[in-house]
Every structure is written in structure tokens, then in C-alpha cells.
């Protein structure tokens, strides 16, 4: 009885403070299967993004499929170590590991659903110059953590753009090309008649 009461009090406490579970990724229902495209197709980030998209309910396009597919393009992935503290002899002893990704999400017709964006994450770590034991392992652990966070951040960005567009009452369908009065596609803006 006390366990049930304790669970109920904890649930009410969490609900009262505004805590709620994150919703799944929200993509338009008519979105084609998604393909993650990168200059490094076998990178760990691409694997994590594919897993995150699947877990969010999106359909993944086959690599060899000729059908149109929405694309999550990873345009750039950059890593950097920046020394942020030095010892009395001028040797770096603390670093900031930085990870930046540029991405864009396109509909199956090539139009942008999420415009090109940059996400940068960083973590600090200590690397004493006199005792480097375990430093590379710590850096690798931080790099894995940053990749997982980057994948989640990219998925959240896509989700927030889609939700904001839906809340504004906008359409997520691809923009229709302009047509002239005779039904032909307009290559230049149609003249306005007075």
C-alpha cells in the first residue's frame, strides 16, 4: 500500500513541476521514407541518426532504392580540441572537445523542410601532461557521448521545425510551382494586370 502511495505522490510531483515525457519525432504523414546522406556514409553519427529516426517512427529508405526519398543530409562533421588551461610550465592540461555538424533536411522533391543549420557541442576534460594514462579513453568516451547528443539534437531540431509549422497552420507539403493563367509552369513571375 505504501509503495502505491509513494508512486502516486512521485507521479503527481513530477506532473506538478512540469515534467513530461518527450513526444516522438513528428514528421508529416505524407513524408516519403527518409535517407540519411553524408560525406562519410559509414560514420557513427549516420548509424545513430538512422537508429533515432527508426525509433521515432520514421520509415528509412533503402540505400539501393530508386524511389524518391526525403533526405537528412549531414553536410559537415568537425572535431576539435581547444586547450583551455595550462600548468606552470605552459603545458596544456585541460581541453575542450568540440563537435560541430552542419545538416539540412529535404523533402522528397528536393525542397527544404528544415533549412541548413549548425549544431555545436563541447565537453571539457583534463589531460595532465605528466600522466597521460587514461586520457585517450576519456576522450573517446566523451566523443561517443557527443555523437549520441548530436543525433538527439538533430532529431529535436527537425521535430521543432515541423511542430512550429503545424502550429502556425502552415502546410508541410512541398511548395507548389507557380503557374500562369494558361496552366503552364511560370519561369518568371506572372505580370500583374491592373
Amino acid at each position: 500500500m505504501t509503495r502505491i502511495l509513494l508512486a502516486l505522490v512521485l507521479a503527481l510531483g513530477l506532473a506538478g513541476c512540469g515534467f513530461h515525457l518527450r513526444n516522438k519525432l513528428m514528421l508529416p504523414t505524407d513524408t516519403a521514407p527518409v535517407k540519411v546522406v553524408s560525406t562519410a556514409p559509414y560514420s557513427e553519427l549516420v548509424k545513430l541518426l538512422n537508429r533515432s529516426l527508426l525509433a521515432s517512427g520514421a520509415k528509412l529508405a533503402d540505400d539501393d532504392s530508386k524511389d524518391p526519398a526525403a533526405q537528412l543530409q549531414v553536410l559537415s562533421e568537425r572535431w576539435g580540441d581547444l586547450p583551455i588551461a595550462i600548468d606552470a610550465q605552459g603545458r596544456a592540461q585541460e581541453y575542450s572537445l568540440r563537435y560541430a555538424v552542419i545538416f539540412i533536411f529535404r523533402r522528397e522533391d528536393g525542397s527544404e523542410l528544415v533549412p541548413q543549420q549548425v549544431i555545436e557541442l563541447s565537453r571539457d576534460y583534463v589531460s595532465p601532461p605528466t600522466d597521460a594514462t587514461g586520457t585517450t579513453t576519456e576522450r573517446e568516451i566523451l566523443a561517443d557521448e557527443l555523437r549520441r547528443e548530436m543525433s538527439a539534437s538533430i532529431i529535436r531540431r527537425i521535430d521543432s521545425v515541423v511542430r512550429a509549422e503545424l502550429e502556425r497552420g502552415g502546410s508541410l507539403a512541398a511548395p507548389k510551382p507557380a503557374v500562369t493563367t494558361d496552366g503552364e509552369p511560370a519561369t518568371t513571375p506572372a505580370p500583374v494586370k491592373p
Side-chain angles (χ1 to χ4, degrees):
M1 179 66 178
T2 50
R3 286 185 182 176
I4 295 173
L5 187 59
L6 180 61
L8 184 61
V9 168
L10 285 175
L12 288 173
L14 285 175
C17 74
F19 175 81
H20 61 280
L21 294 175
R22 190 176 314 226
N23 295 332
K24 286 179 125 181
L25 169 67
M26 182 180 214
L27 286 176
T29 54
D30 59 343
T31 300
V34 180
K35 185 175 190 176
V36 179
V37 179
S38 174
T39 53
Y42 301 108
S43 77
E44 196 61 34
L45 179 63
V46 171
K47 292 176 190 174
L48 288 167
L49 285 169
N50 280 324
R51 252 185 257 144
S52 296
L53 285 166
L54 271 177
S56 299
K59 292 176 279 184
L60 293 181
D62 294 329
D63 289 335
D64 55 349
S65 174
K66 301 294 182 203
D67 295 332
Q71 288 189 350
L72 172 54
Q73 293 178 312
V74 178
L75 304 174
S76 171
E77 246 184 291
R78 301 217 176 206
W79 290 92
D81 279 314
L82 179 68
I84 56 175
I86 57 173
D87 64 7
Q89 285 78 35
R91 298 175 295 191
Q93 64 179 10
E94 191 172 343
Y95 294 89
S96 178
L97 178 61
R98 297 178 179 270
Y99 183 38
V101 170
I102 301 173
F103 74 97
I104 189 170
F105 191 89
R106 297 182 187 274
R107 295 178 183 93
E108 60 272 12
D109 66 351
S111 62
E112 292 180 1
L113 179 60
V114 178
Q116 181 174 314
Q117 298 189 18
V118 178
I119 299 177
E120 184 174 335
L121 303 172
S122 66
R123 291 288 178 276
D124 298 342
Y125 68 98
V126 177
S127 175
T130 56
D131 182 24
T133 307
T135 300
T136 55
T137 304
E138 182 180 357
R139 188 184 184 286
E140 289 171 10
I141 291 169
L142 288 175
D144 288 342
E145 179 185 317
L146 285 173
R147 280 189 201 97
R148 284 191 301 274
E149 269 190 53
M150 183 63 71
S151 172
S153 294
I154 290 171
I155 296 298
R156 281 194 304 269
R157 289 269 179 104
I158 294 168
D159 185 55
S160 67
V161 168
V162 170
R163 287 180 192 275
E165 187 67 29
L166 288 174
E167 284 176 8
R168 281 194 306 244
S171 171
L172 294 173
K176 303 286 186 225
V179 293
T180 60
T181 54
D182 59 354
E184 294 295 317
T187 53
T188 58
V192 178
K193 295 182 183 178

